[in-house]
Amino acid sequence: MSQENTSSIIVVGKLGAPYGIKGWLKVHSFTDDPQGIFDFSPWLIGQQGKWQTLEVVDWRRHNKGFIAKIAQVNDRDEAMAYTHAEISVDSAQLPELPQGEFYWRDLIGMTVVTDKGYNLGIVDDLMETGSNDVLVVKANKKDAFGQAERLIPFLTDSVIKDIKHEAREITVDWDPGF
């Protein structure tokens, strides 16, 4: 994999400390369903600007997390070399979503506009809260309401009115003063 083509790479977890002496490593999953990280194969590991693929040959639950055995990693010293490395996959490996569903990464960079036509800015990030997800919208430099950032609840019934994927635009019912 060339360094130029990293835009399609998605971080799905992180390798932790070695476990035992036979080359097993702890795994920290960032996927919605934590064991879903093992549905992806191979894993892309990025270290010092270089990418390599790793094949998981076995895994199991351990305490509150997981441990995995990687092909070609047979002892604790070899496993140490991968400690704290990010586990990534090519976005092409992500499953197709049903109509109307999307990945958070698809929303980043979309323009957010009120249903009355006011441009609130660009989706900069998303946050998970206990009750609902929240769009972090970076406001335009000359925002008429003096806002630098807005936190807009991602509530599809009341706040989010429309998501136009081709136009890269989200229409919301939201007061620009907030």
Side-chain angles (χ1 to χ4, degrees), residues 25-37:
L25 284 146
K26 291 181 180 167
V27 175
H28 305 285
S29 176
F30 302 157
T31 56
D32 269 356
D33 169 19
Q35 75 182 39
I37 194 169

Side-chain angles (χ1 to χ4, degrees), residues 15-173:
L15 290 169
Y19 175 81
I21 59 169
K22 295 191 172 150
W24 286 71
L25 284 146
K26 291 181 180 167
V27 175
H28 305 285
S29 176
F30 302 157
T31 56
D32 269 356
D33 169 19
Q35 75 182 39
I37 194 169
F38 298 106
D39 294 341
F40 301 113
S41 185
W43 286 347
L44 294 170
I45 304 295
Q47 291 179 306
Q48 287 94 41
K50 292 188 171 48
W51 292 95
Q52 74 179 103
T53 57
L54 292 183
E55 202 71 43
V56 176
V57 291
D58 197 7
W59 67 273
R60 63 179 177 251
R61 286 187 178 283
H62 178 70
N63 295 336
K64 290 188 170 104
F66 302 97
I67 56 173
K69 174 73 174 82
I70 310 294
Q72 285 90 37
V73 177
N74 298 308
D75 64 39
R76 191 174 183 87
D77 291 341
E78 289 172 4
M80 281 294 282
Y82 295 102
T83 300
H84 305 305
E86 287 185 333
I87 301 167
S88 303
V89 297
D90 192 298
S91 60
Q93 291 177 262
L94 298 176
E96 280 291 314
L97 293 174
Q99 185 67 34
E101 289 189 28
F102 39 80
Y103 290 106
W104 274 13
R105 65 186 174 86
D106 297 337
L107 302 178
I108 306 278
M110 281 192 177
T111 302
V112 181
V113 181
T114 69
D115 50 3
K116 311 220 178 359
Y118 185 81
N119 184 326
L120 296 171
I122 304 284
V123 178
D124 190 47
D125 198 4
L126 285 103
M127 294 187 315
E128 213 169 338
T129 66
S131 52
N132 55 271
D133 297 334
V134 174
L135 292 174
V136 179
V137 179
K138 192 174 188 62
N140 301 307
K141 290 199 187 325
K142 295 184 177 130
D143 187 80
F145 296 87
Q147 301 286 344
E149 182 180 85
R150 290 182 175 86
L151 301 177
I152 301 175
F154 196 88
L155 300 170
T156 47
D157 305 333
S158 54
V159 179
I160 306 296
K161 295 299 177 191
D162 191 20
I163 298 174
K164 298 182 191 105
H165 288 283
E166 275 69 49
R168 307 271 308 133
E169 185 177 277
I170 301 171
T171 305
V172 295
D173 178 3

